[in-house]
Amino acid sequence: MNTEEVVDQVISMALLYGPKLIGAILVWIIGGWVINVIGRVVKSTLDKSGTDPSLKPFLTGIVNGLLKVMLVITVLGMLGIEMTSFIAIVGAVGLAIGMAMSGTLQNFAGGVMILVFKPFKVGDVIEAQGYVGSVSQIQIFNTIMKTPDNKTIIIPNGGLSTSSMINYSTEPKRRVDWTIGVAYGDDLDKAREVIKRLCDADSRILKEPEVFIAVSALADSSVNFAVRAWVSAPDYWGVYFDMNENVYKTFAREGLNIPFPQMDVHLHKDA
């Protein structure tokens, strides 16, 4: 093959593939610029919507990744490369990876749901998966809680997002419930008056709604009062424990008895 033939082949290949290559380069450059613009728009939208900071990198990364994959496929197609087999292989690999990481992907999806819909936030006290504690971190795969005795509980987000959960911190006020028993034969009106006085004396107990005090049961060893009072959520446990102690001390001074379970046994002797 002489020089003239080589030049002719180069020219013919340039005429055949040159426009495709130039077009592919232009699409790659313009597509990259468009992807960056879309990424900034998505980030700005997430910022304005108040999306959790932990979720923003993942959402923007997913959007950018999908757009870049589409751009690569488009550019390769413009160059004349057959993409059907390539797409089939990528799909098969993706399916295999998805099946192998089904639990992890479920936790990821659960983390996204939690961060988007916010059934709880950092600092909330929740009860879930058999544990009660304060949420210290919400990660994309796990939620980390601290129990009252300072244990660290790590709960996968998959189960947490699909099961029942109690959030004790959603409302600013909580109702404190006590069951206070007095002995049979004691003055019920006096017992009610003492309980009401103790509730009124505690400034943490709210005046509205009014404290509820009523006889709830005639139990085996005691007459039980149901006492219900409303407090600010942070005061819940302090009021609960203090009232138990105050009732015990005050009942003793007022001559009221807090009974304990007991049984009377009567013996009969045959004549």
Side-chain angles (χ1 to χ4, degrees):
M1 181 179 298
N2 54 37
T3 304
E4 186 177 348
E5 291 176 345
V6 172
V7 171
D8 290 339
Q9 282 192 351
V10 170
I11 293 174
S12 63
M13 292 181 64
L15 293 175
L16 178 63
Y17 294 105
K20 295 181 179 180
L21 180 61
I22 294 173
I25 293 174
L26 290 175
V27 169
W28 178 262
I29 295 173
I30 295 173
W33 177 79
V34 172
I35 289 174
N36 289 333
V37 172
I38 293 175
R40 288 195 295 269
V41 171
V42 170
K43 185 177 183 301
S44 176
T45 303
L46 294 175
D47 291 337
K48 292 179 180 178
S49 65
T51 304
D52 192 281
S54 303
L55 186 59
K56 292 176 186 177
F58 290 95
L59 293 179
T60 54
I62 289 174
V63 172
N64 285 335
L66 291 175
L67 292 175
K68 287 179 180 178
V69 169
M70 294 174 60
L71 178 61
V72 169
I73 293 175
T74 301
V75 170
L76 293 178
M78 292 180 64
L79 293 175
I81 299 175
E82 182 60 44
M83 298 302 299
T84 305
S85 301
F86 176 75
I87 294 174
I89 292 173
V90 171
V93 172
L95 178 62
I97 294 174
M99 294 179 64
M101 300 180 64
S102 59
T104 302
L105 293 177
Q106 182 182 9
N107 292 333
F108 173 81
V112 172
M113 296 293 288
I114 291 172
L115 292 170
V116 169
F117 294 104
K118 298 180 179 178
F120 55 85
K121 61 183 183 298
V122 172
D124 284 357
V125 177
I126 66 171
E127 180 177 350
Q129 304 289 300
Y131 299 100
V132 178
S134 175
V135 178
S136 60
Q137 294 182 51
I138 303 176
Q139 300 177 349
I140 197 64
F141 294 107
N142 303 297
T143 293
I144 300 177
M145 296 168 49
K146 292 287 187 180
T147 63
D149 56 348
N150 208 30
K151 294 177 182 176
T152 299
I153 307 296
I154 302 174
I155 302 179
N157 286 334
L160 187 59
S161 65
T162 57
S163 61
S164 300
M165 183 266 299
I166 300 174
N167 190 335
Y168 293 104
S169 303
T170 303
E171 300 296 332
K173 296 189 295 186
R174 287 186 63 186
R175 194 183 75 186
V176 189
D177 294 357
W178 296 274
T179 298
I180 300 174
V182 297
Y184 280 99
D186 282 359
D187 188 339
L188 294 185
D189 292 332
K190 183 177 181 180
R192 181 184 287 106
E193 186 274 329
V194 169
I195 296 171
K196 181 68 165 58
R197 189 171 74 239
L198 290 174
C199 291
D200 292 341
D202 194 326
S203 60
R204 295 168 296 180
I205 295 179
L206 304 177
K207 304 305 178 184
E208 292 292 336
E210 188 178 358
V211 176
F212 175 85
I213 305 172
V215 175
S216 62
L218 303 177
D220 292 339
S221 303
S222 63
V223 178
N224 292 337
F225 281 95
V227 182
R228 298 169 182 170
W230 288 88
V231 300
S232 297
D235 294 330
Y236 180 91
W237 287 112
V239 172
Y240 179 81
F241 292 128
D242 289 346
M243 181 60 68
N244 286 334
E245 181 177 347
N246 291 335
V247 165
Y248 180 80
K249 293 178 178 178
T250 306
F251 271 27
R253 290 197 300 266
E254 297 288 342
L256 297 169
N257 298 297
I258 299 177
F260 51 86
Q262 55 188 310
M263 179 183 296
D264 292 335
V265 178
H266 302 273
L267 298 178
H268 298 276
K269 183 177 181 181
D270 294 336

